[in-house]
Amino acid sequence: MGAVLIEGPKLCGKSTTAVQQAESVLNMEPGPTLSLAAINPKLLLQGTTPRLIDEWQLAPQLWDVIRREIDLRGGEPGQFILTESAVPVDWKSFPFSG
């Protein structure tokens, strides 16, 4: 596979585990990185592979860009490691919650 997605709750060790396998790391934090993701997301994919893109879901446009990049690279395995924090459900917003 060209990419692997690691998903789970915040602070469960996703990034810590992924960085042990990654050769380069990109943290998707608010600021210049997110701005660049909106302007030219393909630039964010440059780096030694496997490239960890931590909290990729903050820039959802990366998903299709990563898929295309994997195809352009001939489907070579181990190109990207993506981490994503799951957001807990707010049960208070459901009408049946007490």
Side-chain angles (χ1 to χ4, degrees):
M1 290 180 225
V4 172
L5 173 63
I6 303 172
E7 188 177 37
K10 289 185 182 274
L11 303 172
C12 73
K14 299 177 305 294
S15 300
T16 302
T17 300
V19 81
Q20 294 174 24
Q21 301 301 316
E23 292 294 328
S24 63
V25 178
L26 175 66
N27 293 308
M28 296 304 302
E29 298 173 355
T33 304
L34 277 180
S35 297
L36 184 56
I39 297 167
N40 192 347
K42 188 169 178 170
L43 285 178
L44 299 176
L45 305 185
Q46 296 175 0
T48 311
T49 59
R51 180 149 177 82
L52 168 58
I53 303 176
D54 195 30
E55 300 295 349
W56 80 271
Q57 82 281 359
L58 296 175
Q61 64 273 26
L62 285 176
W63 186 262
D64 287 332
V65 176
I66 290 168
R67 286 185 321 111
R68 283 192 292 276
E69 186 66 19
I70 290 168
D71 289 344
L72 287 172
R73 296 179 184 185
E76 185 178 332
Q79 295 295 302
F80 301 99
I81 304 169
L82 310 176
T83 64
E84 173 179 351
S85 291
V87 177
V89 174
D90 181 7
W91 291 105
K92 295 176 190 169
S93 67
F94 286 82
F96 56 81
S97 65

